[in-house]
């Protein structure tokens, strides 16, 4: 028996949307939504997609909702190295390269590294080899005792910044692999402490290096109009200097020279 009624209701409650609000967003009636959730009505494929879009369900989970309704998936999941994604890969590499000498990475939904620029590889060159071996998980590389954690001078603040972001993601889109990662990383995080110097609007990454301490802020970018699961799940995280001292240090590290990627 298709599981659509329970799945749709679960997503609606997770998004804290009433049946009437969902109906208005999807261009249908509250009665129809109610009938779908009770199993009294079987929606067409287009309606399932409209409901999923209205609930801002990620593409991977939209495919699962379609399967639960008895329909084929609507969104392809193209391998990253497929020729069809050549323009996307080229665009990503151009952005990463242009961000040098500041570190920048592209990760998937689990924080697994897809690509990184030379500045990031230079910054993580002394991390334990096993943490830089494919597949590289960036949250683990940051917080693991053999990763960057010993060099993060505000680890109590930064670790919880990372964990809070992961928990928010897991709350919006349940994922057993993400739950497992959160459980693991929680064992590495020190007691939460908000320092008196906390900026309030952003948690800086304070990273000790041989040339001085870097203060970095992060920005996140994604392909908002993606219709492919792989592309939709990509996230570009760029590290930016939070002060002139950090900008000067990064400018003089020689990161313009390409560093081999982890293998």
């Amino acid at each position: 028996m298709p599981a659509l009624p329970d799945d749709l209701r679960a997503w609606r409650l997770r998004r804290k949307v009433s049946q009437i609000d969902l109906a208005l967003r999807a261009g249908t009636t509250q009665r129809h939504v109610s009938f779908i959730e009770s199993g009294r009505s079987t929606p067409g494929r287009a309606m399932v997609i409209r409901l999923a879009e209205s609930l801002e369900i990620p593409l991977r989970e939209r495919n699962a909702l379609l399967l639960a309704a008895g329909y084929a998936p609507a969104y392809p999941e193209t391998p990253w190295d497929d020729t069809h994604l050549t323009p996307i890969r080229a665009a990503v590499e151009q952005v990463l390269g242009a961000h040098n000498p500041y570190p920048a990475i592209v990760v998937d939904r689990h924080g697994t590294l897809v690509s990184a620029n030379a500045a990031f590889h230079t910054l993580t060159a002394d991390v334990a080899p096993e943490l830089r071996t494919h597949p590289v998980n960036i949250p683990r590389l940051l917080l693991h005792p053999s990763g960057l954690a010993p060099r993060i001078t505000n680890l109590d603040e930064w670790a919880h910044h990372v964990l809070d972001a992961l928990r928010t993601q897991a709350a919006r889109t349940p994922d057993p692999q993400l739950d497992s990662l959160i459980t693991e990383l929680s064992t590495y995080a020190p007691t939460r402490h908000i320092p008196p110097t906390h900026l309030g609007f952003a948690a800086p990454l304070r990273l000790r290096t041989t040339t001085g301490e870097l203060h970095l802020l992060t920005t996140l970018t994604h392909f908002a109009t993606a219709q492919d699961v792989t592309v939709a799940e990509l996230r570009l995280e760029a590290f930016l200097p939070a002060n002139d001292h950090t900008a000067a240090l990064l400018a003089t590290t020689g990161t313009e020279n390409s560093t081999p990627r982890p293998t």
Side-chain angles (χ1 to χ4, degrees), residues 65 89 96 100 102 115 120 126 131 155 160 168 183 189 197 199 203 209 215 221 234 241 252:
L65 204 64
R89 289 197 305 275
L96 290 176
N100 281 310
Y102 307 146
S115 189
F120 180 81
D126 62 347
L131 294 176
L155 183 61
H160 289 285
T168 298
T183 299
T197 55
L199 293 177
T209 72
H215 290 197
T221 306
L234 293 179
T252 58

Side-chain angles (χ1 to χ4, degrees), residues 213-259:
E213 185 173 282
L214 304 177
H215 290 197
L216 300 165
L217 300 176
T218 61
T219 62
L220 298 176
T221 306
H222 62 92
F223 290 89
T225 59
Q227 293 297 300
D228 184 281
V229 173
T230 300
V231 178
E233 292 178 348
L234 293 179
R235 186 175 74 248
L236 189 150
E237 186 164 358
F239 295 81
L240 298 167
N243 53 39
D244 293 339
H245 177 67
T246 296
L249 287 177
L250 289 173
T252 58
T253 56
T255 55
E256 67 275 9
N257 296 319
S258 178
T259 302

